[in-house]
Amino acid sequence: MGRQPCCDKVGLKRGPWTIEEDHKLMNFIVNNGIHCWRTVPKLAGLLRCGKSCRLRWINYLRPDLKRGAFTESEEDQIIQLHSCLGNRWSKIASHFPGRTDNEIKNHWNTKIKKKLKLLGLDPVTHKPVEKIDGDFLSKPNDDDRRDVIEVSPRKNDEKPEEIELNFDETNDLFNDYQMLCESFDLDSWLNQESNKSSIGETNSIINQQWVDSVDSFLSWDNFIH
DNA sequence: AAACGATCCAACCGCGTTTCG
DNA sequence: TCGAAACGCGGTTGGATCGTT
């Protein structure tokens, strides 16, 4: 005999969460904490599986979530960590208090990947795309030595405002990026992050403050997703 | 104003690992 | 010790929104 099943999947709700469901889940966790995700939906009165509740809490409802756009320095750190850790999003996210692995993964796939490609870098290997198995392909001709980045939307027939990066400029950017990566000491940075007054301690304070004030600052009737 | 395509992101799926009976 | 379920993670999807034609 192993554990009891997480859920029977019959009659369970799927898809986007409603405000009412969010409220139920938050109220339950605020009052009871998290001990076993399997029991959470049942005790909270939700027709969801524990897995779905866990995801909703982690990615959306957690009080210590930092919302808003990623800053440039956050992006740089993500790139640096990705070059060391690869697609281990939860590991990367653990160094950004208030950011979720899902959020970082989405940001990587929608923004940073493109940014690296524009720099002529392979987002997987962080190496120049011209390079295959250690050998550079033939020297690019003049047409190939230009990357064009549109920086403003086109209006009708108007010529788009563009930044032209020739091959040498792209290389300069890549060199800068490599220097940044080389000068980045992952170990000391990780130590520094973990020494920051212990994140768990900080989070518990934040949680407590949030729990104390949750009903006063959240007007659920007017809650906007 | 409508149609279409691109982009974003919340949520789901499936798999490997961990935990428990 | 073993097997089944829970957990956690990374990949993928689908719907909402935005921008362009």
Side-chain angles (χ1 to χ4, degrees):
Chain A
M1 284 294 256
R3 291 184 172 190
Q4 293 171 346
C6 134
C7 56
D8 56 12
K9 299 215 174 194
V10 177
L12 290 183
K13 194 168 175 289
R14 294 178 53 191
W17 281 64
T18 64
I19 295 167
E20 195 191 349
E21 287 177 310
D22 282 347
H23 200 182
K24 279 183 180 176
L25 181 58
M26 282 178 88
N27 271 341
F28 177 80
I29 292 175
V30 166
N31 292 322
N32 303 282
I34 305 160
H35 304 291
C36 172
W37 283 112
R38 182 174 60 85
T39 61
V40 166
K42 194 178 283 181
L43 297 174
L46 290 162
L47 290 170
R48 298 271 182 177
C49 73
K51 201 171 180 175
S52 181
C53 292
R54 178 184 155 270
L55 211 63
R56 183 64 176 171
W57 173 257
I58 289 171
N59 288 335
Y60 197 85
L61 298 175
R62 255 168 51 198
D64 59 331
L65 281 183
K66 180 180 173 182
R67 304 210 168 270
F70 282 82
T71 64
E72 270 199 37
S73 90
E74 280 180 315
E75 279 193 2
D76 288 343
Q77 286 175 5
I78 291 170
I79 293 169
Q80 288 157 3
L81 284 166
H82 186 273
S83 72
C84 303
L85 300 170
N87 288 4
R88 279 178 277 182
W89 304 115
S90 63
K91 288 267 181 286
I92 294 173
S94 68
H95 303 296
F96 295 89
R99 299 290 193 187
T100 69
D101 55 349
N102 208 33
E103 197 178 9
I104 291 173
K105 180 172 62 182
N106 280 335
H107 190 69
W108 176 270
N109 286 329
T110 58
K111 301 274 175 60
I112 300 179
K113 253 184 177 178
K114 289 174 192 168
K115 200 172 167 181
L116 290 180
K117 280 177 183 171
L118 283 173
L119 291 174
L121 299 172
D122 182 346
V124 179
T125 63
H126 293 248
K127 290 187 163 71
V129 288
E130 292 86 6
K131 206 179 181 186
I132 294 175
D133 292 337
D135 296 325
F136 279 93
L137 298 175
S138 58
K139 190 183 170 187
N141 61 32
D142 282 348
D143 286 341
D144 294 334
R145 290 164 65 93
R146 275 182 45 201
D147 286 324
V148 178
I149 306 171
E150 291 185 20
V151 295
S152 68
R154 256 175 282 189
K155 292 172 194 167
N156 302 327
D157 295 334
E158 191 182 311
K159 195 173 185 294
E161 187 186 344
E162 295 171 344
I163 296 174
E164 291 193 3
L165 295 176
N166 65 31
F167 187 75
D168 297 327
E169 286 166 341
T170 308
N171 256 5
D172 287 345
L173 280 171
F174 172 64
N175 289 336
D176 289 348
Y177 166 77
Q178 269 197 323
M179 281 173 62
L180 194 66
C181 286
E182 281 163 14
S183 65
F184 180 68
D185 183 346
L186 180 67
D187 288 336
S188 65
W189 188 71
L190 294 181
N191 286 334
Q192 181 191 328
E193 287 297 307
S194 64
N195 287 337
K196 275 184 185 169
S197 74
S198 93
I199 290 169
E201 198 177 301
T202 311
N203 281 351
S204 70
I205 295 167
I206 293 169
N207 279 336
Q208 190 54 53
Q209 288 172 346
W210 178 77
V211 165
D212 292 344
S213 60
V214 63
D215 279 336
S216 63
F217 79 79
L218 273 180
S219 172
W220 287 94
D221 293 339
N222 299 318
F223 189 88
I224 298 167
H225 269 285

